[in-house]
């Protein structure tokens, strides 16, 4: 399958990062979002991030200019029907994702591959809401996309071999590394990472340690580049909660029960960096623990 035009649904943190790396790999990119302001902001952010790469001599100014020319935007979802590969990178809510695929299906070319950047939701179930489950798979990039090397490739029960090989080839062209995961809740990375974060939140909830002591302990005691609570804020506490709920519901094991404190923070709208408050308060010059 020849893939040259790529459609990306969602211009948020993941979507703009995916657009960035595809444009650098000489793919024609069409980015869509329901918000035109989000599209404008995404293109501006990609431009800044590419400029940062130029300043570090990672790419040339000419390469940056060429990449920016390859990125188009549209507020109309169905415009993506002409692309060869579509990557859905909308919010981690199954109802939103299935609605996107149902709207897209009537406008697709027969050989267009559909993928989801979901970090936890069943690929088989998402694929079943389309007309091409054999041409559907999980394409899970890590955040931040331009920096992180891994891409999880997840087959649904019906995904065929040509689709898998095509997506594997795309990962190689991007200069990234793929890991193949079975279609179980949260796949590999988040199946391991999110329970650790959830346990760190329980440690805070039970008064075992403060925000600062928990993060310092994991950074210096386990050589993690970020503490688990700092990382949760970076990911988004709403996303962490959504993934823990998928694990808890999908595996029916109480060890995946989301910490009540995580639920409380999300209910308060304290979602981490994107809302300026989470386990840290980011409204000042320096992040300050909120507990």
């Amino acid at each position: 399958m020849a893939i040259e035009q790529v459609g990306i649904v969602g211009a948020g943190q993941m979507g703009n990062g995916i657009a960035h790396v595809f444009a650098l790999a000489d793919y024609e990119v069409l980015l869509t979002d329901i918000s035109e302001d989000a599209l404008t902001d995404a293109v501006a952010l990609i431009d800044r991030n590419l400029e940062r790469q130029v300043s570090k001599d990672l790419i040339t100014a000419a390469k940056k200019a060429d990449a920016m020319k390859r990125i188009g935007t549209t507020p109309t979802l169905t415009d993506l029907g002409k692309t060869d590969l579509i990557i859905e990178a909308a919010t981690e809510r199954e109802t939103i994702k299935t609605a996107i695929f149902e709207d897209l299906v009537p406008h697709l070319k027969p050989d267009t591959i559909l993928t989801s950047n979901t970090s936890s939701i069943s690929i088989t179930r998402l694929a079943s809401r389309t007309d091409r489950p054999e041409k559907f798979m999980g394409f899970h990039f890590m955040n931040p996309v331009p920096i992180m090397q891994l891409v999880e490739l997840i087959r649904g029960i019906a995904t065929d071999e040509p689709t898998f090989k095509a997506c594997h080839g795309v990962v190689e062209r991007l200069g990234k590394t793929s890991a193949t995961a079975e279609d179980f809740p949260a796949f590999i990375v988040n199946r391991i990472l999110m329970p650790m974060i959830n346990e760190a939140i329980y440690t805070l909830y039970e008064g075992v340690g403060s925000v600062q002591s928990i993060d310092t302990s994991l950074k210096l005691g386990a050589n993690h580049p970020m503490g688990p609570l700092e990382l949760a804020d970076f990911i988004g506490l709403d996303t962490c909660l959504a993934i823990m709920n998928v694990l808890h519901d999908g595996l029916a094991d109480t060890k995946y029960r989301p910490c009540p404190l995580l639920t409380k923070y999300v209910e308060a709208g304290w979602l981490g960096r994107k809302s300026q408050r989470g386990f840290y308060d980011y409204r000042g010059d320096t992040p300050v623990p909120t507990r």
Side-chain angles (χ1 to χ4, degrees):
M1 296 180 184
I3 296 174
E4 295 298 334
Q5 293 182 302
V6 179
I8 299 167
V9 183
Q13 191 173 42
M14 294 304 297
N16 75 64
I18 295 168
H20 175 138
V21 298
F22 271 88
L24 268 185
D26 297 332
Y27 287 98
E28 297 296 329
V29 175
L30 186 57
L31 181 64
T32 188
D33 197 283
I34 56 174
S35 166
E36 294 200 47
D37 287 343
L39 290 170
T40 301
D41 291 345
V43 172
L45 180 58
I46 293 168
D47 185 81
R48 291 196 300 273
N49 288 339
L50 286 168
E51 186 59 38
R52 187 177 296 115
Q53 290 179 293
V54 171
S55 68
K56 294 179 179 179
D57 293 324
L58 298 174
I59 62 172
T60 65
K63 184 69 173 175
K64 175 202 166 182
D66 186 54
M68 290 302 299
K69 289 176 185 176
R70 291 180 177 275
I71 300 172
T73 63
T74 177
T76 306
L77 177 66
T78 55
D79 286 347
L80 270 58
K82 63 188 179 183
T83 60
D84 306 315
L85 168 69
I86 293 176
I87 303 170
E88 170 274 311
T91 188
E92 193 70 357
R93 288 174 56 189
E94 188 168 346
T95 53
I96 291 175
K97 293 179 185 295
T98 55
I100 288 168
F101 290 124
E102 287 170 356
D103 287 345
L104 271 172
V105 160
H107 306 277
L108 300 178
K109 299 187 299 183
D111 58 349
T112 296
I113 294 173
L114 286 174
T115 68
S116 176
N117 186 58
T118 179
S119 53
S120 61
I121 299 168
S122 167
I123 297 303
T124 298
R125 197 162 62 240
L126 290 174
S128 71
R129 304 298 291 271
T130 76
D131 67 341
R132 60 195 68 205
E134 72 286 350
K135 293 185 182 298
F136 191 109
M137 66 182 297
F139 213 172
H140 181 213
F141 290 83
M142 305 296 127
N143 185 36
V145 180
I147 295 172
M148 301 297 281
Q149 182 68 17
L150 183 70
V151 181
E152 282 184 317
L153 295 178
I154 307 100
R155 299 180 193 236
I157 195 171
T159 306
D160 64 22
E161 188 65 16
T163 297
F164 175 80
K165 286 184 176 179
C167 290
H168 185 270
V170 168
V171 175
E172 290 185 333
R173 179 167 159 182
L174 294 176
K176 295 188 179 292
T177 302
S178 64
T180 305
E182 293 297 320
D183 189 18
F184 283 88
F187 320 127
I188 295 173
V189 173
N190 283 318
R191 172 77 175 265
I192 298 167
L193 176 64
M194 286 301 164
M196 184 199 75
I197 289 175
N198 194 53
E199 193 62 28
I201 300 169
Y202 266 114
T203 305
L204 177 65
Y205 178 61
E206 294 167 2
V208 179
S210 65
V211 169
Q212 197 160 26
S213 62
I214 292 166
D215 277 351
T216 299
S217 294
L218 268 291
K219 283 191 283 189
L220 301 184
N223 205 28
H224 289 191
M226 297 174 71
L229 302 177
E230 182 185 5
L231 179 56
D233 276 357
F234 180 76
I235 294 168
L237 302 191
D238 53 339
T239 300
C240 293
L241 180 59
I243 295 171
M244 288 309 303
N245 281 327
V246 167
L247 281 167
H248 190 228
D249 294 344
L251 299 173
D253 192 325
T254 56
K255 73 180 181 180
Y256 298 114
R257 182 173 69 95
C259 179
L261 184 60
L262 174 59
T263 302
K264 184 179 290 187
Y265 271 55
V266 173
E267 288 175 344
W270 290 19
L271 307 180
R273 285 184 175 272
K274 61 187 174 185
S275 67
Q276 295 297 298
R277 278 192 292 186
F279 293 110
Y280 293 85
D281 188 326
Y282 300 92
R283 294 174 295 178
D285 294 333
T286 304
V288 178
T290 53
R291 287 178 77 89

